[in-house]
Amino acid sequence: MEVSERVKGIHRKLVVSCQALPEEPLHSSFIMGRMARAAYEGGACGIRANTGADIKEIKENVDLPIIGIVKKNFQDSGVYITPTMEEVEELVEVGADIIAMDATSALRPGGVTLDAFFSQVKARFPGQLWMADCSTLEEAVHADQIGFDFIGTTLVGYTPQSRGCRIEENDFELIRCILEQVKHPVIAEGNINTPEKARRVLELGCYSVVVGSIITRPQLITKAFTEEIGKL
């Protein structure tokens, strides 16, 4: 699908992930809206956000392209990033520019395969842009083949099949392999926790880079400092 001029605004730019789950201290749509505003003032050109409520609030604060997700847990599946049609509908309703979803090899709730689910959502919402959150080279290649508009590295290291893998290993070798084997734009995401790493993935050819926790989760940033001081 052709990318709109609005979405082209994230090309070779920073997207900031503004998310806080219910168990986190900053969990609040109001706070995420202000977090997105702070990211915008720092130069971010896009926002990745979780839930329709947060996206609505963020849109009140910034006019930036939004990669939308809904995280939801199901007992019969390990897929939790936009796992069913209900979450897709929520994101379409609030006007997420790009909808991201788990594009790993895991079965979705009810035993639904990625291929079957993606076929359904594409048919129902043909004008929507889609991002594949992948964890391995094979998953990225498959997502590219079935027609995702953007290929993401979001879940590298977070799935059984990618356990122990780190996105930054060997000068982002996994990203370089993905770039060589897919035709759709690649969005780098996951443990990109320094400005130098963010610049590097763009130098390698990624369409955009998403940075989250190191910017928007102060409890984790604080923990890194206290752990280092604790070594005294």
Side-chain angles (χ1 to χ4, degrees), residues 27-212:
H27 178 65
S28 158
S29 294
F30 171 79
I31 293 174
M32 289 303 103
R34 303 311 294 174
M35 188 74 78
R37 181 69 192 183
Y40 166 75
E41 292 188 6
C45 291
I47 302 293
R48 178 165 163 131
N50 174 37
T51 77
D54 281 12
I55 291 171
K56 283 182 181 178
E57 182 65 27
I58 287 168
K59 285 188 165 195
E60 292 294 321
N61 286 271
V62 298
D63 182 20
L64 293 176
I66 294 177
I67 300 173
I69 63 171
V70 177
K71 290 181 176 177
K72 191 171 182 180
N73 293 312
F74 288 82
Q75 290 187 344
D76 65 339
S77 174
V79 172
Y80 64 92
I81 299 177
T82 320
T84 74
M85 186 66 76
E86 182 178 349
E87 290 77 56
V88 170
E89 291 170 346
E90 178 178 337
L91 294 167
V92 170
E93 183 178 350
V94 295
D97 297 277
I98 301 168
I99 293 178
M101 68 176 70
D102 182 307
T104 69
S105 57
L107 293 177
R108 311 183 92 79
V112 178
T113 65
L114 171 65
D115 291 42
F117 181 68
F118 189 54
S119 177
Q120 291 170 6
V121 298
K122 281 189 70 178
R124 183 165 176 187
F125 303 108
Q128 180 65 54
L129 293 171
W130 308 96
M131 174 176 169
D133 287 348
C134 304
S135 71
T136 68
L137 171 61
E138 292 75 18
E139 289 167 352
V141 170
H142 182 69
D144 181 65
Q145 290 171 343
I146 64 175
F148 276 89
D149 300 287
F150 297 94
I151 310 300
T153 56
T154 317
L155 292 172
V156 174
Y158 294 102
T159 63
Q161 61 270 30
S162 67
R163 189 165 291 127
C165 180
R166 296 185 60 82
I167 196 173
E168 70 272 29
E169 284 183 335
N170 301 319
D171 188 27
F172 297 98
E173 181 180 11
L174 176 59
I175 283 180
R176 287 187 280 116
C177 289
I178 291 172
L179 286 165
E180 290 173 359
Q181 297 187 43
V182 304
K183 64 176 186 286
H184 290 97
V186 175
I187 296 179
E189 180 175 6
N191 291 309
I192 298 174
N193 53 13
T194 69
E196 292 76 18
K197 290 179 184 178
R199 184 187 67 208
R200 181 58 178 152
V201 296
L202 295 178
E203 287 175 344
L204 291 172
C206 288
Y207 189 86
S208 184
V209 58
V210 177
V211 178

Side-chain angles (χ1 to χ4, degrees), residues 5-19:
E5 289 301 316
R6 176 178 170 83
V7 172
K8 287 179 182 177
I10 66 171
H11 184 224
R12 294 182 61 81
K13 302 293 184 181
L14 173 67
V15 175
V16 172
S17 181
C18 297
Q19 300 179 44

